[in-house]
Amino acid sequence: MYSNQDYLSELLVEAGLTTPEALEEVRGSLRTKDGIVTRLLLDGTVTEEQIAQVIAANSGNDYVEIEHLPIMPEVFNAMSAEVAERFRAVPIHDDGTYVTVAVSDALDFETLDSLPHVIEREVIFACATPSAIGKVLKENYGLEAEESSAADSFKVIGEDGEEEVAEAGDAPIIRMVTNMLLDAFKMRASDIHIEPLETSLRVRFRVDGKLMEVDNHPKRLLPAIVARIKVMSGNMSIAEKRMPQDGRIQMRIGGKEVDLRVSTVPSNHGESIVMRILDKSSLLLGLGQLGFYSDDQETFERLMELPDGIILVTGPTGSGKTTTLYACLNYINKPDRKIITVEDPVEYQLAGINQVMVKTEIGMTFAAALRAMLRQAPNIIMVGEIRDAETANIAINAALTGHLVFSTLHTNDAPSAVARLADIGVQRFLIASAVRAIVAQRLVRTLCKECKSAAILTEGEMRMLRIDQSQASESNIMGPVGCDACRNNGYRGRLGIYEMFNVDDEVRHLINQNLSTPQLRRRARELGMRTLREDGIRKVLAGTTSAAEVISVTMSDAD
C-alpha cells in the first residue's frame, strides 16, 4: 500500500489543472463527458491513475494499485457481492478489527457514511482507479464492470458562480453544500457556521439572532466542504489552511440576489467557516418596515433631508446598524445627489452609489479613503464605522463643510456617543456643532403572526416595563406559541427598537458644558427622548413582540 503523499500540486501543474474551477472538476465524479478532465483523459494528457491520486491526496486517504496487491481470498468475505456492486467498493485487507476498502471516489460522503453501517464493521478507506476496481470485482465476485470508459468514471463540475439548485447527478459534496445554502435561505438564517469539533463537524444557522444546530457530519468531510466553499468564492486559496481568509459568493436563490461573505479561520480541530448571508431584498425596506413608528420615522426622514451635519447610528455588533444606514441611503439616493461610501467590507452593492472598500494592507484605511472621497465633491458620505480619532475628525470636518455624513459607533445608548467621540479625541465644541442626531438601536424578535395569542403579563414583567394594570388591559399584549411556520419557537423575523437623540440648540449647549453621560441622558429624557426600552414597550403593547424579548434585549436600559 502506498503512503499518502501530497501529489496534488505536481499533478495539477503537469496536467495544466491550475485553477480552482479545474480542481473542483477533478474532485467530483461521473457527470458529463465534455469537461476538461474528461478531455484530458481521452487525449492521454493525464492518466486515470493520476486523477485517482489527486482525489486520494484531497481526501486524506491512501492511493492503492489494487490490481497488484496480494489480497487474501477470505478478505472478500467481509463484503457481499451485492454490497460490493452497489458501492463499487473492494475489500483489500481485514485485520479482524478494521476492513480496508478501496473506492474510486473517496470524497463520496454517502459511501463513506453508509458502508460501515451496511457491513457492520469499522472501515478504513483507500482510493483506487475505477477500472482497477471493476477488474477486481469481476475476478473475485463475478461482477461485470460497468459499461463506461475511464473518462466517464469521474464527475466534471463546471463552476458558473450561480448555483440555485442541486442537480440529481451532482457530486455529493456539491449537493451537500448547495442544499446547506438553500436550507439556510429558506430558514431566513443570517449566518451559517461550519465548525470542526474533535470528532465531528457541526453546522449551525443563526436565525433571528439565535444560533441553532441543524446538522452534524463526520469530521472527514471537512476538507472537501472547505475546498468546495473556497472554490465557490473564487478568490480564496484552497492550499492555504494556516491563515484566515475572506471571500465572497454571489448566488441567485428563489429569484433573489444573495451575497455571502465567507470567513475561514484555522482552529485547533481544522478550518472553521462562517458564511454571512446578505439578502439584497432588505435594501428595499422602508424605515417603517425596519421598526420605526410614524413619529420617529417622520423625524428621521426630516434629518435625512438636511444639507449637512453628521447622523450617527449606534449599537453593538449585530444590532442592525448597517441595515439602517443602507435604508437611509436607499431613501435619499436620487439622481441629483452624489453619494460615496467607505466600508469594511462593502456588504451590499447599491446601484447609483460609489462604494469604496477599506484595504488596510495597502494603506487604504477609513481615514485615507475618507480624505480621497472629499476630493470627489460628494453631497452625502457614509463611513461604515468611526474607529479612531483621525477618521472621526475628518468625518466631523466634512459635516461642518457642507456634507451630510452617516456613520456608526459602538455604544450602548445614544447619549454615550458624545463621550465616545470625546474619548477618541474629538473636541466637544466640534461634536456639538457637527452632530445632528444620534440613533441607538437593538433588534427584537417579532411574534409569529400565524400562532401568537393573547397573553397576560406577570407582575415581574409589569414592574420591569413599568406598565400598570389598566394600561395592560387596554392594550393588545400577545405572547409566543409555536407552529410549523415559525418552527415551533413562537417568533418569526426581527425589527428594531430605537432611541432617537436629536441634537438641538439646547443639547448643543449641554454638550459644550461637558456634562457627564448620565447627566446628558437625564436631560435628554426630560426633553422628550424615548429610550430603547420605552420604544420596546410600545411594541409590546401593540402585540408585535413579547415582554420577555424586550426585557432581555434592554437589560442595560432598566433605569
Side-chain angles (χ1 to χ4, degrees):
M1 186 176 295
Y2 288 81
S3 63
N4 182 29
Q5 302 177 39
D6 187 7
Y7 296 101
L8 187 58
S9 298
E10 178 184 346
L11 290 174
L12 291 182
V13 171
E14 179 182 344
L17 304 175
T18 56
T19 67
E21 291 79 8
L23 175 58
E24 185 63 21
E25 296 190 39
V26 175
R27 307 183 73 242
S29 61
L30 291 175
R31 188 170 106 184
T32 66
K33 299 180 180 180
D34 57 354
I36 184 173
V37 175
T38 304
R39 296 195 302 272
L40 291 170
L41 282 167
L42 290 174
D43 67 18
T45 304
V46 296
T47 66
E48 191 181 23
E49 290 76 13
Q50 287 176 317
I51 299 302
Q53 289 169 355
V54 170
I55 292 177
N58 262 319
S59 64
N61 294 294
D62 291 331
Y63 167 69
V64 292
E65 295 179 350
I66 56 175
E67 62 270 41
H68 301 311
L69 289 179
I71 305 174
M72 302 299 291
E74 59 268 20
V75 171
F76 295 103
N77 295 329
M79 189 181 301
S80 68
E82 179 183 3
V83 172
E85 182 178 33
R86 172 186 169 190
F87 290 100
R88 305 301 297 175
V90 174
I92 58 177
H93 182 69
D94 187 351
D95 65 3
T97 303
Y98 293 94
V99 178
T100 302
V101 177
V103 294
S104 62
D105 186 357
L107 294 172
D108 182 351
F109 76 92
E110 293 174 347
T111 294
L112 303 184
D113 286 347
S114 302
L115 188 57
H117 298 289
V118 172
I119 66 174
E120 299 180 342
R121 294 287 302 276
E122 295 287 337
V123 175
I124 297 173
F125 286 96
C127 193
T129 64
S131 58
I133 287 176
K135 182 179 179 181
V136 175
L137 288 175
K138 181 179 180 180
E139 292 176 351
N140 295 276
Y141 287 104
L143 300 172
E144 292 297 328
E146 293 180 333
E147 293 185 3
S148 61
S149 67
D152 292 332
S153 299
F154 293 92
K155 186 180 296 182
V156 181
I157 303 300
E159 177 60 59
D160 59 9
E162 186 177 286
E163 292 193 41
E164 183 165 344
V165 295
E167 298 288 343
D170 278 348
I173 291 297
I174 292 179
R175 285 203 308 273
M176 179 182 178
V177 172
T178 303
N179 288 334
M180 183 192 303
L181 298 178
L182 289 171
D183 289 344
F185 184 79
K186 290 174 183 176
M187 292 174 64
R188 301 172 296 100
S190 60
D191 305 285
I192 301 171
H193 296 253
I194 303 172
E195 303 162 317
L197 305 179
E198 185 174 0
T199 59
S200 64
L201 184 62
R202 180 173 65 181
V203 179
R204 295 193 289 175
F205 295 166
R206 189 184 299 277
V207 181
D208 296 334
K210 304 291 183 180
L211 275 173
M212 60 174 65
E213 185 169 336
V214 296
D215 225 330
N216 208 289
H217 299 295
K219 179 73 171 294
R220 62 176 171 268
L221 299 181
L222 177 64
I225 292 173
V226 171
R228 172 59 183 163
I229 292 171
K230 287 181 177 179
V231 166
M232 291 178 70
S233 73
N235 64 343
M236 301 174 75
S237 171
I238 295 174
E240 180 56 74
K241 301 177 182 179
R242 299 169 299 173
M243 297 292 292
Q245 293 189 69
D246 294 308
R248 191 180 199 120
I249 300 171
Q250 293 182 312
M251 302 182 68
R252 187 173 181 84
I253 303 178
K256 293 183 177 181
E257 295 289 338
V258 178
D259 282 356
L260 293 93
R261 277 175 47 194
V262 183
S263 171
T264 65
V265 174
S267 70
N268 56 335
H269 295 302
E271 286 186 277
S272 175
I273 303 178
V274 174
M275 291 183 283
R276 184 177 181 189
I277 301 174
L278 306 173
D279 183 2
K280 292 184 178 181
S281 63
S282 64
L283 300 181
L284 304 178
L285 298 178
L287 295 178
Q289 293 169 293
L290 293 179
F292 284 93
Y293 275 169
S294 56
D295 52 350
D296 287 338
Q297 180 176 342
E298 182 180 346
T299 300
F300 208 2
E301 289 176 351
R302 176 179 54 80
L303 289 168
M304 287 189 287
E305 296 296 337
L306 293 173
D308 56 27
I310 185 167
I311 298 173
L312 294 172
V313 180
T314 75
T317 300
S319 60
K321 301 186 298 297
T322 301
T323 301
T324 298
L325 286 183
Y326 276 113
C328 293
L329 295 183
N330 191 56
Y331 176 81
I332 60 180
N333 186 12
K334 299 176 182 178
D336 62 341
R337 296 172 176 172
K338 178 159 186 171
I339 303 175
I340 305 181
T341 75
V342 54
E343 307 168 62
D344 183 19
V346 174
E347 294 194 4
Y348 298 93
Q349 296 178 4
L350 300 173
I353 293 178
N354 302 277
Q355 295 173 270
V356 178
M357 185 165 71
V358 168
K359 294 182 180 179
T360 308
E361 65 274 13
I362 62 172
M364 180 65 86
T365 62
F366 272 109
L370 190 50
R371 279 194 298 269
M373 287 163 54
L374 292 175
R375 294 192 288 271
Q376 296 283 308
N379 302 106
I380 298 162
I381 296 170
M382 187 191 91
V383 183
E385 182 184 347
I386 292 178
R387 299 177 179 175
D388 52 50
E390 186 178 13
T391 304
N393 280 300
I394 296 172
I396 291 287
N397 288 328
L400 292 172
T401 55
H403 304 87
L404 182 60
V405 181
F406 293 87
S407 191
T408 69
L409 274 178
H410 285 279
T411 63
N412 288 329
D413 61 9
S416 298
V418 174
R420 173 64 179 153
L421 288 173
D423 288 342
I424 63 177
V426 182
Q427 295 182 337
R428 281 188 171 258
F429 78 90
L430 292 175
I431 299 172
S433 301
V435 176
R436 298 289 179 263
I438 304 169
V439 181
Q441 70 175 74
R442 298 289 190 280
L443 293 176
V444 295
R445 292 182 295 170
T446 54
L447 293 167
C448 176
K449 295 179 181 179
E450 302 295 326
C451 65
K452 67 179 180 180
S453 65
I456 299 176
L457 298 180
T458 66
E459 291 185 5
E461 290 173 335
M462 293 178 65
R463 182 174 61 255
M464 294 188 72
L465 296 180
R466 298 179 182 176
I467 298 174
D468 57 38
Q469 190 62 52
S470 62
Q471 190 179 15
S473 60
E474 295 172 359
S475 302
N476 185 35
I477 297 173
M478 308 292 281
V481 177
C483 66
D484 291 340
C486 62
R487 298 182 179 270
N488 295 311
N489 63 33
Y491 297 91
R492 183 176 172 83
R494 290 189 293 175
L495 83 167
I497 56 175
Y498 302 94
E499 178 177 282
M500 297 198 65
F501 181 30
N502 292 315
V503 182
D504 56 18
D505 290 340
E506 183 169 353
V507 172
R508 291 189 188 93
H509 177 67
L510 297 174
I511 293 173
N512 282 323
Q513 283 186 316
N514 202 23
L515 265 64
S516 66
T517 297
Q519 292 173 317
L520 191 60
R521 180 176 177 80
R522 191 179 309 113
R523 184 56 182 149
R525 295 187 65 180
E526 292 172 357
L527 293 172
M529 184 188 77
R530 188 182 297 111
T531 67
L532 288 165
R533 175 161 287 190
E534 288 167 347
D535 190 45
I537 291 169
R538 291 201 295 176
K539 285 151 188 171
V540 171
L541 298 177
T544 305
T545 188
S546 67
E549 184 72 7
V550 169
I551 290 170
S552 66
V553 170
T554 60
M555 287 301 294
S556 62
D557 193 27
D559 62 336

